[in-house]
Amino acid sequence: MGGRCSRFGLCWWPSNLKSNLPHSSDLDREYEKLSVPSFREYSLDELRAATSGFSVDHIVSEHGEKAPNVVYKGMLEDGRWIAVKRFNKSAWPDTRQFMVFLDLAHWDEARLVGELRSERLANLIGCCCEGHERLLVAEFMPHETLSKHLFHWDAQPMKWAMRLRVAFYLAQALDYCSSKGRALYHDLNAYRVLFDQDGNPRLSCFGLMKNSRDGKSYSTNLAFTPPEYLRTGRVTPESVVYSFGTLLLDLLSGKHIPPSHALDLIRGKNFLMLMDSCLEGHFSNNDGTELVRLASRCLQYEPRERPNARSLVIALAPLQKETEVPSHVLMGISHETSSSASTSVLTPLGEACSRTDLTAIHEILENLGYKDDEGVANELSFQMWTSQIQETLNGKKRGDAAFRAKDFSTAIDSYTEFIDGGTMISPTVFARRCLCYLMNNMPQEALGDAMQAQVISPDWPAAFYLQAAALFKLGMDNDARETLKDGSLLDAKRKRN
């Protein structure tokens, strides 16, 4: 940890500590081997298609449509999920400042940020500059923000080992950026830390752009703003470390505590009062003490007394716990839903099938009716119509009535009568009988019907989603996730056409 000092004292932190740890810049060498595309400029039409016309259903900003600059999730034609940040002129306090922001020369900075590649960043992969439209395109992180998991959790509070990992990975991200000449980060806070498909925390690349939010470098309450920024209005590397210190307080307390209040507790040796009560004592006092000491150094009033990004990495490395446990396990995220296929943009039917929520599937299929049967060829002679069609249709009507009444055994018999009649074909009937089989715990028969629906209508996403539900019931989870992905790709293709 460096020079020893009193347990809660605020002592000098050396910025030139030596360590055998690999430098964070080494992270990009491994990450370059992964399938992150090179930075490029996208057309507005491409991004409009990827987000279904910037649909409100695709908004992932914490404050929805009310966010100053809205972030959308979208899918490119190659099936890659992306996050698209669209800048809103009305959110800027000074129209003239926005016009400077529109200057294409200003957007050369985006290209520089786009050269960064690290597994600790949600990497910038493109931008769009058309007319008065300015958009940034980054890797999509499906598991929301640190703010959500720390302050507004649903199932479980974030575990101590995961909090330490978040701090460490974030320090590595800042160290990497510093090593690449991008030491300035604007408005570092819990909303800027995102979780990827494996539950690993990543730093949003958007904060590496100047004027990335409302034309200001800090959007948070003044109580959380570095003191020198209040004096000069300038962001420095030391300002970023101060903001990192406020994030350490967030991780310690599970709350957004003003630094001045936290420092009073630290000086009074009441650090346990800082600790999140939701942890219920499941943390090491020694680790807690070290993290409090590090936070206090980051929050020093004089910028020169704060550690640098490399020192943060060195200090946090020995505190790591349960390093062999994947992040998605520590986070309580089911790995079957952490893949991009199942956590990205699925229709309500796709979501229901991913959860094998048979009640929800039934409700959705009932509401859909037979509109997806349009265009299915049914060539019948007049003689067949007059002699057989009415009897066939009566079988379907009986099946529909039983399906609506949730009498699934009767529905199976009636739909079978319709199918065996052979005079008409309907992918929807196979989809409905598939669900009836699932309701009667007959997943193999259900899978056969979902596959038959696909044969009749090869580009129908519902057929793939229902196959996935049957595969999950059969315990074939990997195949189910791949089939969900196929269905979501077809859905995305439909929306673009």
Side-chain angles (χ1 to χ4, degrees):
M1 283 285 299
R4 301 302 300 172
C5 59
S6 64
R7 187 168 181 177
F8 297 99
L10 306 181
C11 66
W12 171 74
W13 181 260
S15 61
N16 60 344
L17 291 175
K18 303 298 182 182
S19 169
N20 292 326
L21 288 170
H23 200 281
S24 295
S25 61
D26 294 337
L27 292 170
D28 63 324
R29 297 192 184 100
E30 287 300 316
Y31 202 64
E32 284 172 354
K33 300 175 184 177
L34 304 181
S35 57
V36 181
S38 299
F39 182 91
R40 74 175 181 89
E41 191 161 338
Y42 291 85
S43 71
L44 187 60
D45 285 342
E46 281 182 282
L47 299 183
R48 184 178 286 114
T51 59
S52 299
F54 299 108
S55 166
V56 294
D57 293 334
H58 287 241
I59 293 175
V60 293
S61 307
E62 290 281 342
H63 303 292
E65 290 181 276
K66 296 181 181 179
N69 301 303
V70 179
V71 180
Y72 300 83
K73 58 183 174 182
M75 178 186 279
L76 298 174
E77 287 189 349
D78 63 1
R80 180 181 300 277
W81 291 102
I82 56 173
V84 181
K85 184 169 187 175
R86 190 182 194 187
F87 292 88
N88 181 3
K89 179 180 179 180
S90 64
W92 291 63
D94 186 342
T95 303
R96 291 171 298 177
Q97 195 176 35
F98 185 73
M99 296 309 294
V100 172
F101 182 69
L102 290 177
D103 184 2
L104 292 180
H106 176 87
W107 281 70
D108 287 341
E109 184 183 21
R111 292 169 176 80
L112 294 175
V113 174
E115 292 176 0
L116 302 178
R117 286 293 178 267
S118 171
E119 63 182 340
R120 299 293 180 253
L121 296 176
N123 294 282
L124 190 68
I125 61 174
C127 68
C128 174
C129 307
E130 289 189 19
H132 280 190
E133 289 279 5
R134 295 293 181 269
L135 305 97
L136 293 173
V137 183
E139 294 179 288
F140 177 62
M141 302 289 112
H143 287 304
E144 305 187 88
T145 67
L146 178 62
S147 175
K148 165 70 175 176
H149 292 290
L150 203 55
F151 308 139
H152 311 291
W153 51 271
D154 296 320
Q156 66 175 43
M158 185 178 287
K159 293 182 178 180
W160 179 243
M162 191 65 208
R163 298 183 195 212
L164 292 172
R165 187 173 299 180
V166 169
F168 182 50
Y169 281 20
L170 181 55
Q172 287 186 316
L174 295 176
D175 184 34
Y176 167 75
C177 292
S178 295
S179 74
K180 297 296 183 180
R182 307 296 306 187
L184 301 186
Y185 194 93
H186 302 266
D187 199 18
L188 176 61
N189 58 60
Y191 292 101
R192 299 287 201 181
V193 182
L194 312 170
F195 291 85
D196 65 18
Q197 64 271 18
D198 296 317
N200 289 319
R202 300 205 198 186
L203 182 63
S204 169
C205 61
F206 294 150
L208 292 165
M209 288 281 295
K210 293 178 183 177
N211 298 326
S212 61
R213 178 188 170 98
D214 301 345
K216 298 181 291 186
S217 290
Y218 284 91
S219 61
T220 53
N221 187 298
L222 292 179
F224 300 89
T225 302
E228 66 275 12
Y229 181 79
L230 297 176
R231 297 194 302 266
T232 67
R234 293 180 60 249
V235 177
T236 66
E238 293 78 15
S239 307
V240 179
V241 172
Y242 184 94
S243 296
F244 182 84
T246 68
L247 273 175
L248 290 181
L249 294 181
D250 293 346
L251 291 165
L252 283 161
S253 66
K255 296 180 284 292
H256 202 36
I257 297 178
S260 59
H261 176 60
L263 289 173
D264 287 342
L265 291 174
I266 294 169
R267 293 188 187 101
K269 300 185 179 181
N270 294 319
F271 103 90
L272 286 176
M273 293 182 65
L274 274 176
M275 301 304 295
D276 190 349
S277 60
C278 293
L279 289 170
E280 299 180 338
H282 294 155
F283 62 91
S284 161
N285 279 354
N286 289 337
D287 291 344
T289 300
E290 293 298 331
L291 208 60
V292 167
R293 290 175 61 241
L294 184 59
S296 69
R297 294 188 179 96
C298 293
L299 297 170
Q300 286 290 289
Y301 184 83
E302 291 297 333
R304 66 177 179 273
E305 295 179 2
R306 299 170 197 158
N308 62 21
R310 182 60 181 156
S311 298
L312 297 175
V313 174
I314 295 170
L316 289 163
L319 301 182
Q320 299 307 297
K321 310 294 181 188
E322 302 184 53
T323 55
E324 74 287 352
V325 180
S327 293
H328 70 86
V329 175
L330 291 177
M331 293 283 288
I333 298 170
S334 173
H335 209 219
E336 70 181 27
T337 61
S338 68
S339 69
S340 59
S342 58
T343 60
S344 300
V345 185
L346 288 174
T347 62
L349 179 59
E351 290 283 0
C353 289
S354 72
R355 304 188 308 268
T356 58
D357 185 342
L358 303 186
T359 301
I361 297 171
H362 174 262
E363 182 179 347
I364 293 167
L365 289 180
E366 178 65 29
N367 291 333
L368 281 175
Y370 284 84
K371 66 179 183 179
D372 286 321
D373 280 10
E374 295 174 7
V376 177
N378 280 293
E379 297 181 3
L380 301 172
S381 67
F382 179 75
Q383 181 180 3
M384 289 180 66
W385 177 270
T386 55
S387 62
Q388 299 179 38
I389 194 63
Q390 192 59 51
E391 183 179 350
T392 301
L393 288 175
N394 285 339
K396 185 175 81 69
K397 286 180 180 179
R398 288 190 294 272
D400 290 342
F403 187 82
R404 190 177 306 112
K406 301 182 181 180
D407 181 358
F408 298 112
S409 295
T410 299
I412 289 174
D413 293 339
S414 298
Y415 286 142
T416 300
E417 180 183 343
F418 170 84
I419 292 167
D420 291 347
T423 56
M424 297 182 69
I425 55 174
S426 166
T428 299
V429 167
F430 279 104
R432 290 184 167 211
R433 193 173 70 168
C434 166
L435 178 63
C436 294
Y437 280 135
L438 288 174
M439 287 289 191
N440 284 328
N441 198 27
M442 302 168 68
Q444 193 66 55
E445 290 81 356
L447 179 61
D449 270 6
M451 294 176 69
Q452 189 60 44
Q454 180 192 341
V455 170
I456 299 169
S457 189
D459 296 326
W460 191 31
F464 290 84
Y465 291 144
L466 288 166
Q467 286 178 49
L471 289 166
F472 277 129
K473 286 290 188 181
L474 289 166
M476 302 169 67
D477 290 9
N478 289 335
D479 291 328
R481 286 192 289 271
E482 286 301 313
T483 308
L484 276 178
K485 183 177 180 180
D486 292 339
S488 68
L489 289 172
L490 286 172
D491 261 327
K493 183 178 179 182
R494 278 188 165 195
K495 291 174 182 177
R496 288 195 295 267
N497 295 335

